[in-house]
Amino acid sequence: MAIIRSILDTDLYKFTTSYAYSKLYPRAYGQFRFIDRAKTRYPEGFAELLRQELQQMAELQLTRDEAQFLTRELPYLPPTYIDFVRGFRFDPDEVHVSQDEEGQLSIVAEGLLYRVTLWETPILALVSELYYKVLGVEPDLAYAEQSIIAKAQRLKEEGITFSMFGMRRRFSSDIEDRVTRLLKEYSGTNFYGTSNVYFAYKHGLRVSGTHPHEWVQFHGAMFGYKMANYMAMEDWINVYDGDLGTVLTDTYTTDVFMRNFSKKHAMLFTSLRHDSGDPLLFADKVIARYRELRVDPQIKYIIFSDSLDAERAIEIAKHCKGRIGTSFGIGTNFSNDVGAGIQPMNIVMKLWKCKMTEKDKWHPCVKLSDVDGKHTGEPEEIDLAQRTLGLI
């Protein structure tokens, strides 16, 4: 049986970003590259097994019930885009997979951005689940369920509002399904929802999510690094007109973002998302910036989503209490805590280059993390971006 069994088995931000590209930049092209930060040596033949899974994804088709769910739960996506998703088919020819003699895996997805962006999260979920399956790693289901129930109850006791952000590095689809059900059962209304559209559909949950680094990366490549955050926010507002009001801050470091964050954007966006660096320091910087802009931080939120577990979320919430609202997106610690000695994968797919039309020249894309060593992109372009932004 195929691992990905529904077009909805993806994170919300893939659909919202796809629609934004289709509305504003329908002729833009992009290339995504797979990055394994742990430099895993994959078993011989892994690339071929992955290609087989990708081929099976070409058969996926949105059902009528799924389309009705999108229409009902994602009202900011217009009927024209829902119709596009109903007719959408994954094209495996857009993805090139190979494996070298040392077992290193290469995955490159390239094509029109409104289409090719939809490959990112399913590919990561495929690699993760397929890796454990090929190695014969079995989850300890009793441990996994006991662990998630304890976390769910602990978060509920502390009054923490949180969402499930666990698809990309999940142990398996089945584990994510079980975890989602248990969080709903044991956390109640403290469990805000899930970023996985399919499991929101299956379990009757809110679909929860933000926008991705790639949106800002694209704007950096097209409009320059100094204007990237500003243009990305302006375009998001133009597309969604106040819906989906969370903005990601660390594509070119949080300090650069804060310089770009105007009062207009501080008022229009409901929340900022933290995804790298010290979360407590980040909260202090955000609160200080809101006050500098004469915006009451207590009417705003921070969504924390960087390598969280329940205890870390509780610590952060206590630091922010009475100062700014908080919510939490907890991912791998929910979807891949399945037994002693089973380590989650450290994998991502990032926008590597883009261009405005097929005939244009490619522009390299980079991401400058708040954590040293997590920058992505070609070294010379990373250096250029850092110099342009005064980071060197």
Side-chain angles (χ1 to χ4, degrees), residues 33-48:
R33 291 193 188 182
F34 173 79
I35 301 167
D36 187 326
R37 292 170 175 154
K39 300 190 182 302
T40 305
R41 294 191 175 192
Y42 292 82
E44 186 177 352
F46 187 90
E48 178 56 33

Side-chain angles (χ1 to χ4, degrees), residues 36 38 40 42 124 127-133 135-140 143 168-172 307 331-347:
D36 187 326
T40 305
Y42 292 82
L124 293 172
V127 170
S128 184
E129 181 165 349
L130 195 58
Y131 179 72
Y132 297 118
K133 186 177 290 186
L135 292 183
V137 178
E138 294 291 337
D140 182 339
Y143 166 86
R168 294 181 299 164
R169 301 181 189 100
R170 68 192 184 192
F171 181 87
S172 68
S307 304
T332 309
N333 187 255
F334 281 167
S335 64
N336 204 338
D337 182 14
V338 293
I342 300 176
Q343 294 297 318
M345 306 201 77
N346 192 356
I347 54 177

Side-chain angles (χ1 to χ4, degrees), residues 20-269:
Y21 286 134
S22 72
K23 181 174 181 179
L24 299 182
Y25 305 106
R27 293 177 174 82
Y29 276 71
Q31 182 192 94
F32 288 80
R33 291 193 188 182
F34 173 79
I35 301 167
D36 187 326
R37 292 170 175 154
K39 300 190 182 302
T40 305
R41 294 191 175 192
Y42 292 82
E44 186 177 352
F46 187 90
E48 178 56 33
L49 293 173
L50 179 58
R51 281 192 287 268
Q52 292 173 16
E53 291 287 344
L54 297 174
Q55 286 292 334
Q56 292 184 80
M57 286 181 63
E59 301 172 9
L60 297 176
Q61 184 176 353
L62 199 71
T63 68
R64 181 179 295 274
D65 284 348
E66 289 173 338
Q68 290 174 347
F69 175 81
L70 292 181
T71 300
R72 182 176 68 252
E73 297 299 322
L74 311 183
Y76 39 78
L77 294 179
T80 51
Y81 185 75
I82 304 300
D83 281 346
F84 161 73
V85 180
R86 290 190 69 173
F88 176 76
R89 299 294 184 277
F90 281 103
D91 180 2
D93 288 342
E94 293 172 338
V95 185
H96 303 278
V97 182
S98 61
Q99 191 173 358
D100 65 21
E101 294 179 355
E102 295 183 352
Q104 302 286 308
L105 190 63
S106 170
I107 308 171
V108 177
E110 183 176 308
L112 286 160
L113 266 170
Y114 74 87
R115 289 183 51 87
V116 78
T117 189
L118 296 172
W119 280 111
E120 179 204 357
T121 47
I123 285 176
L124 293 172
L126 281 174
V127 170
S128 184
E129 181 165 349
L130 195 58
Y131 179 72
Y132 297 118
K133 186 177 290 186
V134 170
L135 292 183
V137 178
E138 294 291 337
D140 182 339
L141 293 179
Y143 166 86
E145 295 205 357
Q146 183 179 12
S147 174
I148 202 66
I149 290 170
K151 294 170 188 175
Q153 291 175 332
R154 178 91 171 102
L155 290 164
K156 183 179 181 180
E157 289 167 3
E158 293 290 338
I160 304 296
T161 300
F162 67 95
S163 297
M164 169 76 157
F165 283 6
M167 178 188 180
R168 294 181 299 164
R169 301 181 189 100
R170 68 192 184 192
F171 181 87
S172 68
S173 176
D174 180 61
I175 290 294
E176 185 178 5
D177 190 1
R178 289 169 181 256
V179 166
T180 304
R181 173 177 56 81
L182 291 170
L183 290 173
K184 180 181 179 181
E185 181 178 352
Y186 287 92
S187 279
T189 55
N190 289 85
F191 182 36
Y192 184 81
T194 175
S195 63
N196 187 306
V197 184
Y198 176 72
F199 289 123
Y201 162 74
K202 180 175 180 179
H203 294 284
L205 295 165
R206 295 187 190 92
V207 191
S208 174
T210 65
H211 76 359
H213 294 110
E214 71 173 88
W215 183 247
V216 189
Q217 287 182 275
F218 171 79
H219 285 78
M222 294 295 97
F223 303 109
Y225 296 117
K226 289 184 178 181
M227 290 298 293
N229 287 306
Y230 186 89
M231 289 296 298
M233 286 186 281
E234 286 292 295
D235 275 350
W236 201 254
I237 292 166
N238 289 341
V239 173
Y240 289 110
D241 197 30
D243 283 315
L244 298 170
T246 301
V247 62
L248 191 57
T249 65
D250 70 334
T251 307
Y252 300 118
T253 76
T254 293
D255 288 342
V256 168
F257 175 86
M258 291 303 173
R259 297 201 298 265
N260 299 149
F261 195 46
S262 67
K263 181 160 186 175
K264 170 186 174 180
H265 296 135
M267 294 299 292
L268 288 175
F269 284 97

